[in-house]
Amino acid sequence: MSTFFLFCYGSCFGSLICATSGRYARHESPYSPRSHCDTCRTPLRPWQLIPILSYLCQRGHCHACGTAIPLQVLVLEVAGGWLATTITGPATLLAVIWLYLWSYAALCDAATQTFPGIISWLSLPVLFWSAGPFVWGLGALWLLGIHLIWPHLSRPLIGDGDLEFIGLYALAFGVQATAWWLLTACLLALVLNRQSSGRIALLPYLTISALGWWLWS
């Protein structure tokens, strides 16, 4: 029964992450107006805001105008619920919250190739809540160094957010786990962007890989 409730709570977080990242991409307030269809702007009724069930009941379409709701919404709600079921104690709770934060950043990055910089700093205390001052100091220095250096680079080979995520992941999970995680993310990016000739958002692939390795383990 506890697993069921964890899944319900997690699916709500997945829905929230999807909605707020969409508002970020459209430069809208995360608080107002109330939830609505992005096409016809019709406010959603309470029964249309239930994660997973609302999507299935509406058969993936807006009840008012019939516009297709992106499948991404359903996938994120299911993934958010599944992720929450891995919580077994305080340590895993913090790791799951950290993954939720970077999932939000990844969705923003996929839509705009930017994300709120506060996510990096929020993820630091969440992930290293019980770590010693040495690890806290390394993480803070890593983030601070990137924030100071990256604005002065004309054409960096990798985004600052990607590098921030990589550094924090390495501190939390170690070098070997980071190597496998990065290899998976890069292979995903290469396979899914074979025809692309411009810059791609790497953060979504880093996050998908991180979620995959977390759920697998």
Side-chain angles (χ1 to χ4, degrees), residues 166 169-171 173-183:
I166 292 170
Y169 193 100
L171 280 174
F173 299 102
V175 175
Q176 183 175 0
T178 302
W180 283 109
W181 165 62
L182 276 176
L183 177 62

Side-chain angles (χ1 to χ4, degrees), residues 67-146:
T67 300
I69 303 171
L71 182 60
Q72 170 183 282
V73 175
L74 179 62
V75 171
L76 287 169
E77 291 172 351
V78 172
W82 186 10
L83 180 59
T85 62
T86 65
I87 297 173
T88 57
T92 52
L93 171 62
L94 293 174
V96 166
I97 293 174
W98 185 72
L99 289 168
Y100 280 135
L101 286 171
W102 281 105
S103 295
Y104 169 74
L107 289 173
C108 294
D109 190 46
T112 66
Q113 293 201 358
T114 65
F115 70 93
I118 189 64
I119 294 296
S120 300
W121 292 101
L122 284 176
S123 69
L124 179 62
V126 167
L127 187 61
F128 301 114
W129 184 264
S130 58
F134 179 72
V135 176
W136 274 79
L138 281 179
L141 283 174
W142 179 259
L143 295 180
L144 185 60
I146 293 173

